[in-house]
Amino acid sequence: MTVGRDPGGRLTYDEPDYGDEGGFRVAGRAEAGPVSPFGGARHPDPCSVVMFGVTGDLAHRKLIPALYDLGCHGVLPAGTTLVGYGRRELSDAQFRDLLQGAIDDHYGVEGVDGDVCRLVLEAPRYVQGEFDDPEGFARLAALLDELDRQGSRGNRMFYLATPPSQFPVLVEQLGAAGLARPGAGRDPDAACGWTRVVIEKPFGRDLETARELDRVIGQVFDERQVYRIDHYLAKETVQNLLVLRFANVIFEPVWNRRYVDYVEITAAETLGVEHRGPYYEEAGALRDMITPHLIQLFSLVAMEPPVAFDADAVRDEKMKVLRAVRPIPPESIADWAVRAQYVSGVVDGEEVPGYRDEERVAPDSYTETYAALKLVVDNWRWQGVPFYLRTGKRMARRVTEIAIHFKRPPVLLFKDAMASGGLQPNVLVLRVQPDEGFSLTIESKVPGHDVALQPVAMDYSYGTTLNELPFSAYETVLVDAMEGDMTLFTRGDQAEEAWRIVAPVLEAWAQRPQRDISIYEAGSWGPEAADALMARDGHSWRQPTKGDGT
Ligand code: BG6
């Protein structure tokens, strides 16, 4: 389905087909429906989607619009109901208005309604209760039984979109209310239904708390029921990385220490911390982005080929490479990690305040809004190849990319031709966002009598071949969880291993919060200390400009 706008600015949809069942498209009839990036139409089971934290920022900005978009894509089957559970007193109708508001905000127009909205909004339900109140959970259980009878067939997805401090109590209450068991519904026809719990990052705030969280979860749920979300893994080009590596023969032979010089993984944002000051003050860039997202991207780049494209095989290979990451030496953290905080500057032509002047941020905060990390991998494939990871808020440009820098040729034939600029080694850049696609720079001859060289980019942009990306990252994770596909979710042992990798850095930074923290101007590419981190190895960070394939 394509979403467009009419001349009045209202959203339009091409030919939605709702089938006969109360306004929902029937999954089994969605032959022409959207196709998974790995093939096959998506046919999730009907289920009750129970959302905790439904009045929060994440639900408002990402989850509700993603459910709505799944409705637009014709993916939600009849019998699927969104259930909100929260402390606020809301009627079902007020809850519906809240959902409508989130969808309107997302699309920037008021009153997005029409038939498509019915897919998400027709009959949402709301249960008021404290997170530690057994009676609230008993009311939730009764409602879920009712929904099972109406068509959710005993399938329940519990989505924990609350602050992480609430995860343990929610998990415990779900267990105590008997809601964690698969087929927990009391309707005998629904006895074979599934029960899954979807958990948002961060999974703990260090190795110890991650282990404790896993222990609590493990007492109530089986690991096969636990979906730890990393929405980065669901981004289209991240998935394409696996296809690029393992569905083509030309990349894998050079994907190793013989040919690769170094790898850069960047997630730069132009946004600041928005309304999330209190969360961010506790988290900082290393916990917020590097541990959950960039280390996962790193593992996809560096892992060995899996024996199959299934959850266990892929996650086993990722785990192996994470375990091969050399421990960062506590005595020389500054050679491996850099942190910094932005001061005021200009982003996208607008003056923006420094981090310490942001809403609900301490005026003397030392929380890092930028972090860079160097990793080395002690295995045969990658020995001696550094991986540099960096992320920052209020950077010069919003860009997430993986850049594989190849080595120079062993013999340089064109010394004279290179006199001007020198030979530029090949770089393969996978652009995760925006302008999704990839490019390979290669040296080429400048047309003419002389032999002069210049780098040119072979560029592939998703936008040129597809009118729209098939699914947003949150649509993908939601539908994968509904279908029981765990490939893109982080396993407990991987989350713990990521904390193991960053533990020495976190410890050193916590011991000396004021030491070694640099500043960078909002709208820049980060602090000088990060340039120095690369320069020590003879490298420098890329500074991608818009539409830059190189
Ligand atoms: C979240 C972080 O996980 O990812 C945010 O908590 C960050 O701080 C966001 O802004 C970035 O996601 P995306 O998809 O916009 O790149």
Side-chain angles (χ1 to χ4, degrees):
M1 154 169 283
T2 308
V3 182
R5 283 183 197 282
D6 68 14
R10 290 180 64 78
L11 294 176
T12 58
Y13 313 92
D14 67 351
E15 298 284 310
D17 166 12
Y18 302 119
D20 302 320
E21 273 79 355
F24 288 97
R25 184 180 191 126
V26 182
R29 293 189 205 152
E31 299 86 359
V35 169
S36 144
F38 294 101
R42 311 301 301 257
H43 300 308
D45 299 329
C47 64
S48 297
V49 180
V50 183
M51 216 176 266
F52 298 95
V54 76
T55 55
D57 184 63
L58 177 73
H60 188 89
R61 285 190 308 119
K62 305 270 190 188
L63 302 179
I64 296 164
L67 276 171
Y68 171 73
D69 288 339
L70 283 177
C72 293
H73 281 112
V75 174
L76 297 180
T80 301
T81 303
L82 177 58
V83 180
Y85 182 103
R87 301 173 179 128
R88 266 166 60 178
E89 293 274 1
L90 292 177
S91 65
D92 286 345
Q94 286 168 322
F95 181 47
R96 188 185 189 285
D97 289 345
L98 185 136
L99 300 178
Q100 176 87 56
I103 295 167
D104 290 350
D105 285 352
H106 184 73
Y107 280 102
V109 284
E110 267 189 30
V112 173
D113 54 14
D115 290 336
V116 173
C117 251
R118 289 164 50 203
L119 295 165
V120 177
L121 297 181
E122 184 143 84
R125 306 294 292 269
Y126 185 79
V127 178
Q128 193 276 329
E130 294 294 325
F131 289 166
D132 59 355
D133 175 17
E135 284 177 19
F137 280 79
R139 287 194 294 278
L140 177 63
L143 172 64
L144 293 179
D145 282 345
E146 180 191 325
L147 294 174
D148 286 349
R149 287 191 290 276
Q150 289 172 17
S152 63
R153 300 191 206 150
N155 300 320
R156 286 105 183 254
M157 183 166 104
F158 296 105
Y159 200 119
L160 312 191
T162 61
S165 56
Q166 306 296 330
F167 294 167
V169 68
L170 287 169
V171 167
E172 278 161 8
Q173 289 297 332
L174 287 170
L179 286 169
R181 293 190 314 275
R186 272 165 271 172
D187 182 340
D189 289 340
C192 58
W194 48 254
T195 296
R196 297 175 190 144
V197 60
V198 181
I199 300 184
E200 270 291 337
K201 59 148 260 272
F203 317 118
R205 49 175 290 108
D206 52 25
L207 183 55
E208 205 178 308
T209 49
R211 283 191 179 138
E212 175 56 16
L213 179 61
D214 276 341
R215 192 189 62 76
V216 173
I217 295 172
Q219 283 179 340
V220 173
F221 290 99
D222 184 84
E223 179 66 24
R224 304 293 310 176
Q225 295 175 278
V226 184
Y227 290 70
R228 293 177 193 77
I229 282 206
D230 177 353
H231 76 282
Y232 264 65
L233 295 183
K235 289 182 190 278
E236 195 59 25
T237 22
V238 173
Q239 297 180 53
N240 198 28
L241 168 62
L242 295 182
V243 175
L244 198 78
R245 279 192 66 186
F246 303 126
N248 297 291
V249 289
I250 61 169
F251 295 113
E252 213 37 36
V254 295
W255 211 263
N256 55 50
R257 61 191 298 268
R258 282 191 67 193
Y259 296 99
V260 176
D261 195 9
Y262 64 102
V263 178
E264 269 179 84
I265 303 181
T266 296
E269 296 182 87
T270 49
L271 287 179
V273 290
E274 307 295 287
H275 309 296
R276 301 160 73 219
Y279 157 76
Y280 203 82
E281 280 282 90
E282 285 289 304
L286 191 66
R287 286 191 175 92
D288 184 50
M289 288 293 288
I290 295 212
T291 317
H293 301 314
L294 298 202
I295 288 185
Q296 287 292 323
L297 294 190
F298 151 79
S299 65
L300 285 177
V301 175
M303 74 180 190
E304 295 298 314
V307 290
F309 187 71
D310 65 38
D312 280 338
V314 172
R315 299 195 303 177
D316 285 349
E317 291 307 335
K318 285 167 65 183
M319 187 60 197
K320 271 193 227 161
V321 77
L322 289 176
R323 289 179 58 204
V325 173
R326 186 182 306 166
I328 295 174
E331 64 284 2
S332 55
I333 293 295
D335 294 339
W336 297 80
V338 166
R339 59 178 163 161
Q341 192 185 78
Y342 62 82
V343 293
S344 60
V346 177
V347 178
D348 289 338
E350 264 185 41
E351 285 197 18
V352 297
Y355 176 69
R356 290 180 174 189
D357 294 322
E358 298 275 13
E359 206 182 293
R360 296 193 289 164
V361 165
D364 57 353
S365 169
Y366 283 98
T367 300
E368 83 281 1
T369 59
Y370 175 101
L373 191 65
K374 171 175 152 181
L375 301 179
V376 295
V377 186
D378 286 328
N379 68 10
W380 281 52
R381 185 188 282 263
W382 294 118
Q383 187 60 240
V385 179
F387 287 76
Y388 303 95
L389 281 49
R390 68 172 162 170
T391 185
K393 300 271 185 204
R394 292 287 193 218
M395 303 267 290
R397 236 198 102 202
R398 174 174 179 252
V399 57
T400 301
E401 62 166 38
I402 298 163
I404 318 281
H405 295 259
F406 290 93
K407 292 186 171 169
R408 289 168 188 275
V411 177
L412 298 178
L413 289 184
F414 308 104
K415 291 198 183 67
D416 294 344
M418 288 162 15
S420 50
L423 186 128
Q424 301 298 316
N426 306 124
V427 186
L428 175 65
V429 179
L430 304 156
R431 296 188 303 273
V432 176
Q433 63 187 19
D435 185 21
E436 291 82 351
F438 57 87
S439 71
L440 177 64
T441 54
I442 49 177
E443 284 291 330
S444 173
K445 181 178 171 302
V446 179
H449 294 300
D450 299 334
V451 180
L453 307 188
Q454 72 173 19
V456 293
M458 293 170 66
D459 196 60
Y460 167 75
S461 211
Y462 267 42
T464 56
T465 47
L466 298 171
N467 289 335
E468 56 175 330
L469 295 176
F471 284 122
S472 70
Y474 267 96
E475 277 181 89
T476 302
V477 287
L478 280 167
V479 84
D480 277 0
M482 288 177 186
E483 287 190 331
D485 181 348
M486 306 189 93
T487 313
L488 299 180
F489 294 85
T490 307
R491 212 165 54 190
D493 55 353
Q494 288 168 6
E496 288 182 19
E497 202 58 28
W499 286 118
R500 195 269 303 162
I501 292 171
V502 300
V505 182
L506 285 174
E507 254 163 56
W509 288 358
Q511 276 166 16
R512 294 173 304 213
Q514 303 176 16
R515 202 162 133 193
D516 302 334
I517 180 154
S518 316
I519 54 170
Y520 63 104
E521 214 171 288
S524 72
W525 277 106
E528 282 170 14
D531 297 339
L533 176 88
M534 280 275 235
R536 279 195 288 277
D537 299 337
H539 307 310
S540 57
W541 297 103
R542 283 166 45 79
Q543 297 196 352
T545 52
K546 197 163 172 45
D548 176 14
T550 62

